[in-house]
Amino acid sequence: MGEKKKALIIVDVQKAFDDKKWGERNNLEAEENIRKILQLWREKGWTVIYIQHTSDKPQSVFHPKNEGVAIKEIVKPMDEEVIITKKVNSSFIGTNLEDFLKLNGITTVVITGLTTPHCVSTTTRMSGNLGFDTYLISDATAAFGMKDQNNTYYDANTIHNVSIATLHDEFATILTTEQLITDFIKAH
Amino acid sequence: MGEKKKALIIVDVQKAFDDKKWGERNNLEAEENIRKILQLWREKGWTVIYIQHTSDKPQSVFHPKNEGVAIKEIVKPMDEEVIITKKVNSSFIGTNLEDFLKLNGITTVVITGLTTPHCVSTTTRMSGNLGFDTYLISDATAAFGMKDQNNTYYDANTIHNVSIATLHDEFATILTTEQLITDFIKAH
């Protein structure tokens, strides 16, 4: 990733995703992998941006009055780190994320977080389309199983893998946590 | 869809997608289904918006000098219909699509076109996130098979079906062409 300025984006790693209503999830290691990347990022002094989902609906697990809105302890933000709240899937819609990146001269973004098919995929698509050099860390995100409009069920691994396959080479460079860390240790 | 103003969006139905380089495709009926919807839309006098992909790269099948950039004859635009060109996957990035819809009081969009996992999915995600009441017509879009970052191949039907499953209930209402036409005949 050379000498260009880079940000780690951590999307929606919130307690709300521990709710049983989401069903089967793949890659339970996602949070631990994000923690490892975050630690490296902090050691380097690079920019960390947390994205936090909120909902205006009182019954939502993401409503500010619900403890689910909190970012998980394992990647708890430090005081000086940036938290951007959003109300839709894309971290770029209704937020100042694009302006923040541009004003800070950040041209490379590394995306991690929850969940692969929804907020992570949408954020990755817009990041690539907006011209940022975009990396998605495949094992630092996770999916839940889901049903389609005909009630056909797709398991969490299928949702995760196909979501990433459709982003690969079109919107982002896909790396594992190990590949990212090895690359960074070599490059910096 | 009631009395709200509505637009049919036809994404990237261009000759370039007939190129053999794309490999296996599912749903060869997509263009014929779009033609049926287009005919109904024209009869109703509703807004039709064509999205046309262009590339600055001379070697691209979407470069303006290449015949692939042309919209397919089966859904050829009429003189008064709107054509919006784009250079990335999302029809909303680098274009005036959002402004056009808002200035024309259009609150409902019906999305069709090529290809399901890339330009159609990205456009559908942004449409929903921007607050438009969004319908995606499942058999009026199509996918190509593709490989992921580990060279694992996913066939066109899997890419198509999982792409739509991840949009369902989160970004858009999924309908078939028949459901759309029946709904419209009943409602108008």
Side-chain angles (χ1 to χ4, degrees), chain A residues 2-183:
Chain A
E3 290 307 308
K4 294 179 286 187
K5 283 190 76 175
K6 47 196 97 46
L8 172 64
I9 298 182
I10 301 175
V11 179
D12 298 0
V13 182
Q14 290 165 260
K15 293 180 181 175
F17 282 120
D18 294 337
D19 195 292
K20 285 179 184 170
K21 75 163 187 161
W22 302 100
E24 174 224 1
R25 181 186 138 171
N26 80 332
N27 190 24
L28 299 178
E29 296 300 309
E31 288 87 343
E32 172 58 17
N33 288 330
I34 298 168
R35 189 198 62 75
K36 284 182 195 167
I37 298 168
L38 176 60
Q39 183 180 341
L40 178 68
W41 231 256
R42 286 170 172 167
E43 286 170 7
K44 296 285 189 181
W46 296 334
T47 302
V48 176
I49 301 169
Y50 291 84
I51 306 294
Q52 185 174 27
H53 195 80
T54 64
S55 171
D56 292 336
K57 297 177 184 166
Q59 71 275 24
S60 168
V61 289
F62 292 103
H63 189 277
K65 76 167 173 50
N66 192 316
E67 64 177 16
V69 80
I71 293 170
K72 293 188 179 189
E73 291 294 326
I74 188 171
V75 296
K76 191 178 176 183
M78 298 201 303
D79 283 346
E80 72 277 18
E81 288 170 339
V82 176
I83 300 175
I84 293 176
T85 59
K86 68 174 173 60
K87 293 191 176 181
V88 294
N89 307 87
S90 174
S91 304
F92 288 97
I93 291 182
T95 73
N96 68 344
L97 176 57
E98 184 181 0
D99 286 346
F100 178 88
L101 294 172
K102 288 181 174 170
L103 288 170
N104 286 279
I106 293 165
T107 54
T108 298
V109 302
V110 173
I111 297 176
T112 63
L114 302 173
T115 65
T116 323
H118 290 159
C119 297
V120 168
S121 177
T122 310
T123 298
T124 302
R125 286 165 186 265
M126 282 194 67
S127 178
N129 275 189
L130 288 168
F132 297 102
D133 189 18
T134 304
Y135 291 74
L136 172 62
I137 312 308
S138 56
D139 58 354
T141 179
F144 294 98
M146 59 178 68
K147 289 180 180 174
D148 73 5
Q149 69 283 4
N150 300 316
N151 222 28
T152 301
Y153 181 76
Y154 298 88
D155 66 64
N157 263 331
T158 299
I159 292 289
H160 182 90
N161 292 338
V162 174
S163 293
I164 290 176
T166 63
L167 298 174
H168 163 62
D169 256 10
E170 186 77 14
F171 303 92
T173 301
I174 313 298
L175 298 177
T176 62
T177 298
E178 189 180 336
Q179 287 170 336
L180 180 74
I181 291 175
T182 305
D183 178 53

